Amino acid sequence: MRRIILTFSLLLVGIIMMAQRPQRGKFNPQEFKTRLESYVTQEAGFNQSEAQAFYPIYFEMKSKQRNLNHQIFQLKRNAPSAEANDQDFAIVIQKIKDLGVEIAQLEVTYYKKMCKVVSPAKVYKAMCAEDKFHREMLENFDGGRNRQQGHRPR
């Protein structure tokens, strides 16, 4: 009888421990955007008016970049058929590279706009903060398990 009670108690404790573990849900774009905005605002030292001027331009640029990256993804995913010749593949490669150039030109245009509403120093800090934010998000993606074992993400 004691064994049954002990087994049941251990099972109950295990279930309670599992229930209290934070759940890893689906990606929430709005939460990500809010966290990114908060992080960049703090790291770049934006005041409220600077943030209100900066973020509409920033998120407009990101939206256009996302659309162009999606087009690149589609071109890579829908490769020419096995019967295609080198010319067909060269055309796809050129389209992908043209879209990459378009992304770079888009960044130049939008960073110039950002520098008109916020000082270039703060735009630079925002760029660095965005990179740092993404690195930290990737490091924490697995709950820090690899980091605890001394592994670095590749």
Side-chain angles (χ1 to χ4, degrees):
M1 182 68 172
R2 256 185 166 165
R3 284 187 179 168
I4 293 172
I5 293 173
L6 181 61
T7 304
F8 181 72
S9 298
L10 288 174
L11 182 63
L12 186 61
V13 168
I15 291 171
I16 291 171
M17 297 281 285
M18 292 294 287
Q20 290 181 348
R21 238 176 57 194
Q23 296 296 317
R24 294 183 64 129
K26 291 185 177 182
F27 175 72
N28 182 338
Q30 188 57 44
E31 179 185 339
F32 180 84
K33 181 179 175 181
T34 302
R35 290 176 67 188
L36 172 67
E37 190 173 331
S38 173
Y39 187 89
V40 171
T41 298
Q42 181 180 355
E43 291 288 314
F46 290 151
N47 61 36
Q48 188 175 2
S49 64
E50 289 171 328
Q52 286 176 342
F54 176 82
Y55 286 111
I57 298 168
Y58 174 81
F59 287 123
E60 182 180 330
M61 177 186 75
K62 289 299 177 185
S63 175
K64 290 182 179 183
Q65 284 179 324
R66 203 170 17 263
N67 290 335
L68 293 170
N69 280 319
H70 180 71
Q71 290 177 37
I72 291 171
F73 175 76
Q74 290 300 321
L75 286 168
K76 288 180 178 181
R77 188 170 188 182
N78 301 319
S81 67
E83 298 87 36
N85 59 29
D86 284 346
Q87 177 79 17
D88 296 329
F89 284 99
I91 291 169
V92 172
I93 290 170
Q94 189 58 51
K95 287 179 183 176
I96 291 169
K97 294 303 154 196
D98 289 345
L99 288 167
V101 168
E102 195 174 335
I103 290 171
Q105 290 171 339
L106 185 74
E107 282 185 348
V108 169
T109 301
Y110 274 88
Y111 280 117
K112 285 179 182 177
K113 289 180 182 181
M114 289 177 209
C115 287
K116 289 179 182 176
V117 297
V118 178
S119 75
K122 288 192 177 184
V123 171
Y124 175 79
K125 288 178 183 178
M127 290 170 61
C128 294
E130 178 191 13
D131 291 342
K132 187 176 174 185
F133 176 81
H134 289 298
R135 270 194 314 276
E136 289 178 9
M137 289 294 288
L138 285 173
E139 285 176 1
N140 295 325
F141 185 71
D142 66 349
R145 286 186 297 269
N146 282 337
R147 200 169 175 201
Q148 292 168 357
Q149 298 169 2
H151 300 297
R152 291 189 52 100
R154 294 181 185 211

